[in-house]
Amino acid sequence: MGSIPALAEQDDTVLVALVAGGDSAALEELYSRHAAWLVTRLMRRCNDSDVVLDVVQDTFVTLWKDAKRYRGAGEVAGWLWGIAFRRMVSRLRSRKDVVLLPEWDTVGRGHVPAAEDEVLLGVEYGDLAGALARLSPEFRSVVQACVLDGLTTKEAGKLLGVRENTVKTRLHRAKAQLRGSLTLPQEGWR
């Protein structure tokens, strides 16, 4: 009938532009695409489902208000994750009854990653996954917060309960260890 594709067929970037123009149906479509994985990923990091659900709601309210700020650099999902994670850190700053859990520690709590996730991680990161696993928990948590979650060293310090300079030092040492792990010649290679 018309030449405008249905919202479900639109790219996330197009939907954000429509939200910036006040299109609530585009916001609903983005919510249906991203809310579930945001909840799942945030639940791996926080032990309070009420906080997680509030943070996801806040994330989409922020999207509605600030969609014009999206510059189109990177994936919309990554942009939403950044908003959600910062909202969660902000929400939990003063609370002592809620624990932020490192994402890599789910096996120790009885959660076993799906075989598909393990394979994809190995394919996507190759030797990096093993090198990350060999880091001390302190170094891994800093890499997780600063590199993977995109927090500043100040934000990571607040999240991890250490000084900003401690975060910088750990990040520097973690990078050096990763570089060493990834540049060592393979066994039997001369």
Side-chain angles (χ1 to χ4, degrees), residues 3-31 33-34 63-64 67-68 70-77 79-80:
S3 62
I4 300 173
L7 288 176
E9 298 170 11
Q10 294 290 341
D11 181 74
D12 283 351
T13 305
V14 172
L15 292 173
V16 171
L18 291 170
V19 170
D23 188 333
S24 61
L27 179 67
E28 287 178 37
E29 179 62 29
L30 285 166
Y31 185 89
R33 290 182 189 184
H34 297 285
L63 170 61
W64 178 253
K68 291 177 181 162
Y70 178 66
R71 296 183 188 118
E75 295 291 322
V76 170
W79 184 62
L80 289 173

Side-chain angles (χ1 to χ4, degrees), residues 74-147:
E75 295 291 322
V76 170
W79 184 62
L80 289 173
W81 171 248
I83 293 169
F85 194 78
R86 282 179 175 80
R87 293 274 178 213
M88 186 169 66
V89 169
S90 177
R91 174 79 50 102
L92 299 179
R93 255 187 206 126
S94 63
R95 291 190 54 185
K96 301 295 182 205
D97 60 324
V98 178
V99 178
L100 280 171
L101 306 167
E103 216 169 323
W104 60 81
D105 196 30
T106 54
V107 174
R109 293 191 329 265
H111 171 77
V112 179
E116 296 86 357
D117 291 341
E118 295 272 329
V119 170
L120 288 174
L121 239 161
V123 168
E124 185 174 349
Y125 297 111
D127 292 339
L128 181 58
L132 283 169
R134 288 188 294 274
L135 289 175
S136 71
E138 292 83 12
F139 287 0
R140 252 194 332 263
S141 63
V142 167
V143 170
Q144 173 82 32
C146 294
V147 178

Side-chain angles (χ1 to χ4, degrees), residues 125-180:
Y125 297 111
D127 292 339
L128 181 58
L132 283 169
R134 288 188 294 274
L135 289 175
S136 71
E138 292 83 12
F139 287 0
R140 252 194 332 263
S141 63
V142 167
V143 170
Q144 173 82 32
C146 294
V147 178
L148 303 177
D149 291 335
L151 297 180
T152 65
T153 53
K154 185 175 183 177
E155 291 168 330
K158 287 181 181 177
L159 171 69
L160 300 169
V162 296
R163 293 185 0 242
E164 182 179 1
N165 285 340
T166 302
V167 172
K168 290 177 183 179
T169 301
R170 288 178 182 175
L171 185 59
H172 177 76
R173 290 179 180 167
K175 285 180 179 180
Q177 281 186 13
L178 288 171
R179 232 183 334 272

